[in-house]
């Protein structure tokens, strides 16, 4: 018989995690005002809040920590990372930053402008991540979501739900003058639509359109290697290509990329911006020096740049990607076998549960996905994150809650951290909540919230 995939690593160091009682969890979550971000992590058994900065580093990466060169200028660790970015992504210039949103800050300052220089400008893309959108809107510009419509139907089996709708992109570029469109940004894989990949054909066609209209195309490359794996598995003509070849081709269509290294860089902190053009790199370096640090370290320690260099290479290894994406699908299949509806096809870094179908009795105004997240925590000490009405925030003009097309609970899986036994435990936790779903009829009510990005700090109480 065919041998199944298994993780291409074994554990050398372990970190204890503790189970707790249901009574403890009920009181802890009430103390945390029903906000999962307010929980102490030692009160969580399995933490699926995010796959960002939560991966396990390899022995080779830890070795790089000792080799780190902490020189202010010209550190060998910088040159090591530069060579890796050039080799893997084909991008000759880069600036290190402390994480992905810092890369966005520098890039948007360079291309959109600062202060009100962005007023009236438009940045098309495929469901921009919140911080990307934040950096666009902070400059009074607008993010224009041109994702294909299939992305918003959790049961459509479209293989590339991260794709840009090319007809809409063309219409958009024809309708808006070049001066109003400082860049187009495509997120691979698209986190906001469920860790869904973008096809090579779509990247190629988007790039042709952007070039024709003179608009720079950037990738938000946080999960570029997972995207490449899906292209290899799902797109005609790529099965025999190596992930490295696919990655090179993906980036060949872009003028540059922002990177949150906390994902496919498999490090705990870090980011960068990659550029094809020296001119743009020079322009951006002024902002990088002001916001992050000198060009050869930006927001990173030398040791972290060394670990990132190794992590980027490891993320492109195919047996790793098979186990990584395979584990996400393993959890998705388990949940579905219990009758739970998830965004399909399963994404690269997380499973997204359709909360409206899971808890149909809870009123939409009572934060359905957050309610499910709280129930899963109380049931099994599993922590997930709401991608729903809390995250969507209020309309800036009417101050009414904005209801997104989907109300999702994201179960993000850290890289190389949990076993499939942990995934079985997570699936059993949700199966138990599902079994008692008819008794869950009320959700939550906001007690206190911040004017923007409220989901991080919101205080809630049970709606009774
Ligand atoms: N782009 C994407 C697609 C992301 O998913 C994230 C972060 C960022 C940019 C920002 O990067 O956190 O390094 O500043 N996503 C995390 C998550 C926070 O949980 O999905 P950062």
């Amino acid at each position: 018989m065919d041998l199944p995939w298994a993780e291409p690593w074994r554990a050398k160091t372990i970190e204890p995690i503790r189970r707790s009682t249901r009574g403890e969890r009920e009181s802890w979550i009430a103390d945390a005002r029903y906000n999962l971000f307010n929980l102490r992590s030692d009160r969580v058994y399995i933490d699926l809040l995010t796959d960002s900065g939560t991966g396990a580093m390899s022995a080779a990466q830890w070795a790089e920590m000792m080799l780190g060169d902490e020189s202010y200028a010209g550190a060998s660790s910088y040159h090591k990372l530069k060579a890796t970015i050039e080799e893997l992504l084909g991008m000759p210039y880069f600036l290190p930053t402390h994480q992905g949103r810092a890369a966005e800050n520098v890039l948007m300052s360079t291309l959109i402008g600062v202060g009100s220089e962005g007023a009236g400008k438009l940045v098309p893309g495929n469901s921009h991540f919140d911080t990307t959108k934040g950096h666009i809107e902070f400059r009074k510009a607008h993010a224009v979501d041109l994702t294909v419509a299939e992305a918003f139907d959790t049961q459509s089996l479209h293989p590339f739900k991260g794709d840009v709708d090319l007809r809409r992109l063309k219409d958009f570029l024809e309708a808006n003058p070049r001066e109003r469109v400082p860049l187009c940004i495509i997120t691979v894989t698209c986190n906001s639509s469920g860790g869904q990949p973008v096809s090579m054909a779509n990247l190629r066609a988007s790039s042709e359109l952007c070039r024709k209209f003179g608009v720079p195309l950037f990738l938000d490359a946080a999960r570029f290697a997972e995207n490449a794996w899906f292209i290899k598995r799902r797109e005609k003509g790529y099965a025999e290509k190596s992930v490295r070849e696919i990655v090179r081709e993906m980036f060949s269509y872009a003028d540059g990329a922002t990177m949150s290294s906390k994902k496919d860089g498999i490090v705990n902190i870090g980011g960068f911006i990659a550029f094809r053009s020296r001119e743009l790199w020079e322009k951006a370096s002024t902002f990088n020096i002001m916001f992050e640090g000198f060009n050869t370290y930006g927001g990173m320690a030398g040791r972290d740049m060394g670990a990132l260099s190794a992590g980027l290479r490891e993320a492109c290894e195919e047996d790793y990607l098979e186990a990584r994406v395979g584990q996400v699908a393993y959890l998705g299949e388990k949940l579905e076998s219990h009758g739970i509806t998830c965004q399909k096809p399963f994404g690269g870094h997380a499973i997204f549960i359709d909360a409206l179908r899971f808890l149909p009795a809870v009123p939409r105004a009572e934060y359905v996905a957050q309610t499910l997240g709280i129930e899963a925590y109380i049931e099994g000490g599993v922590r997930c994150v709401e991608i729903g009405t809390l995250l969507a925030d209020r309309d800036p003009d009417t101050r009414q809650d904005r209801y997104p097309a989907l109300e999702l609970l994201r179960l993000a899986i850290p890289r190389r951290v949990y076993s499939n036994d942990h995934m079985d435990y997570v699936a059993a936790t949700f199966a138990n909540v599902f079994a008692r779903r008819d008794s869950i009829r009320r959700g939550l009510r906001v007690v206190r919230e911040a004017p923007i990005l409220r989901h991080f700090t919101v205080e809630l109480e049970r709606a009774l």
Side-chain angles (χ1 to χ4, degrees):
M1 71 173 130
D2 287 342
L3 293 177
W5 59 263
E7 292 79 359
W9 40 264
R10 54 187 179 179
K12 195 193 285 276
T13 307
I14 56 101
E15 180 182 12
I17 49 178
R18 195 174 89 78
R19 294 176 76 169
S20 49
T21 65
R22 191 185 187 95
E24 283 174 325
R25 293 192 292 273
E26 273 171 353
S27 108
W28 291 338
I29 196 65
D31 289 348
R33 305 281 182 227
Y34 299 95
N35 179 342
L36 294 152
F37 287 97
N38 283 341
L39 278 176
R40 290 172 52 131
S41 65
D42 57 4
R43 294 177 171 179
V44 174
Y45 180 46
I46 297 180
D47 204 346
L48 306 185
L49 188 74
T50 180
D51 65 321
S52 181
T54 52
M57 292 212 296
S58 65
Q61 288 180 285
W62 283 108
E64 286 293 342
M65 298 296 275
M66 292 305 294
L67 295 172
D69 175 354
E70 306 304 339
S71 304
Y72 191 95
S76 57
S77 305
Y78 163 81
H79 286 287
K80 196 180 275 182
L81 178 55
K82 184 177 191 313
T84 297
I85 291 173
E86 185 152 15
E87 181 186 324
L88 293 178
L89 315 184
M91 292 278 169
Y93 304 101
F94 94 104
L95 293 167
T97 63
H98 76 272
Q99 60 184 87
R101 64 199 73 184
E104 290 160 0
N105 185 27
V106 171
L107 183 70
M108 301 308 170
S109 299
T110 311
L111 292 178
I112 301 181
V114 291
S116 57
E117 281 172 3
K121 291 185 183 168
L122 303 166
V123 181
N126 57 340
S127 298
H128 312 62
F129 183 67
D130 338 335
T131 57
T132 318
K133 202 170 175 176
H135 277 295
I136 293 168
E137 291 179 351
F138 184 68
R139 293 171 170 78
K140 308 277 178 250
H142 287 282
V144 181
D145 184 358
L146 300 177
T147 312
V148 290
E150 288 87 341
F152 304 101
D153 170 4
T154 58
Q155 297 315 291
S156 153
L157 290 178
H158 189 297
F160 292 101
K161 282 180 165 179
D163 278 0
V164 172
D165 185 326
L166 294 167
R167 175 171 292 276
R168 287 172 65 210
L169 178 61
K170 183 164 177 284
D171 290 349
F172 171 88
L173 291 169
E174 278 170 355
N176 293 287
R178 164 74 185 88
E179 314 76 70
R180 286 192 69 196
V181 190
L183 77 156
C184 171
I185 189 154
I186 300 185
T187 306
V188 293
T189 56
C190 185
N191 185 7
S192 307
S193 65
Q196 298 292 319
V198 180
S199 67
M200 195 72 91
N202 196 259
L203 286 174
R204 193 182 304 123
S206 302
S207 162
E208 275 166 17
L209 279 172
C210 286
R211 255 174 225 169
K212 184 169 159 209
F213 287 90
V215 171
L217 173 63
F218 274 73
L219 299 183
D220 175 344
R223 300 178 180 87
F224 72 96
E226 290 164 7
N227 198 92
W229 178 254
F230 283 119
I231 288 176
K232 183 178 170 74
R233 279 301 167 95
R234 296 183 186 167
E235 192 161 349
K236 200 159 165 271
Y238 288 92
E240 302 306 321
K241 294 232 159 96
S242 70
V243 162
R244 277 187 174 226
E245 285 172 309
I246 295 171
V247 166
R248 278 296 283 251
E249 187 180 340
M250 284 166 57
F251 283 83
S252 75
Y253 300 124
D255 295 291
T258 53
M259 177 74 189
S260 167
S261 306
K262 305 169 72 171
K263 285 84 167 174
D264 276 352
I266 328 185
V267 291
N268 304 118
I269 193 78
F272 62 84
I273 322 172
F275 301 92
R276 194 171 299 293
S277 123
R278 185 178 168 89
E279 195 191 335
L280 206 53
W281 170 83
E282 263 175 19
K283 210 172 155 207
S285 59
T286 305
F287 292 106
N288 214 64
I289 291 171
M290 276 196 304
F291 298 151
E292 294 293 299
F294 178 63
N295 287 349
T296 62
Y297 72 89
M300 294 182 75
R303 64 180 83 94
D304 289 336
M305 288 191 281
L308 173 57
S309 173
L312 288 169
R313 291 170 185 276
E314 291 173 15
C316 292
E317 286 172 11
E318 302 190 3
D319 49 1
Y320 156 73
L321 283 166
E322 181 173 36
R324 160 73 178 152
V325 175
Q327 183 175 53
V328 175
Y330 177 86
L331 175 60
E333 278 155 19
K334 283 256 152 173
L335 290 166
E336 289 216 325
S337 75
H338 294 300
I340 297 165
T341 306
C342 307
Q343 164 78 299
K344 293 271 286 257
F346 303 127
H349 68 295
I351 292 296
F352 292 68
I353 294 179
D354 185 335
L356 294 177
R357 293 195 196 208
F358 196 118
L359 295 178
V362 176
R364 192 80 205 262
E366 294 180 2
Y367 310 105
V368 186
Q370 180 71 7
T371 302
L372 179 57
I374 298 301
E375 291 300 333
Y377 174 70
I378 290 173
E379 183 67 37
V382 176
R383 174 159 68 170
C384 309
V385 77
E386 188 245 25
I387 310 281
T389 310
L390 281 177
L391 181 73
D393 228 316
R394 291 179 192 274
D395 184 290
D397 301 325
T398 66
R399 299 306 299 155
Q400 295 300 307
D401 273 347
R402 280 191 284 214
Y403 294 115
L406 297 173
E407 188 80 30
L408 301 168
L409 185 69
R410 186 184 76 170
L411 288 61
I413 306 183
R415 293 169 183 76
R416 307 191 294 206
V417 171
Y418 291 116
S419 69
N420 283 356
D421 288 343
H422 290 117
M423 297 303 114
D424 290 345
Y425 178 96
V426 171
T429 297
F430 279 93
N432 284 354
V433 179
F434 197 61
R436 61 179 171 83
R437 66 188 182 285
D438 290 342
S439 66
I440 306 169
R441 310 195 71 82
R442 298 301 304 268
L444 301 156
R445 199 165 45 214
V446 171
V447 177
R448 212 183 59 81
E449 65 179 26
I452 47 166
L453 294 176
R454 63 174 174 175
H455 61 289
F456 287 121
T457 53
V458 67
E459 295 184 2
L460 300 154
E461 65 184 8
R462 285 199 185 275
L464 291 172

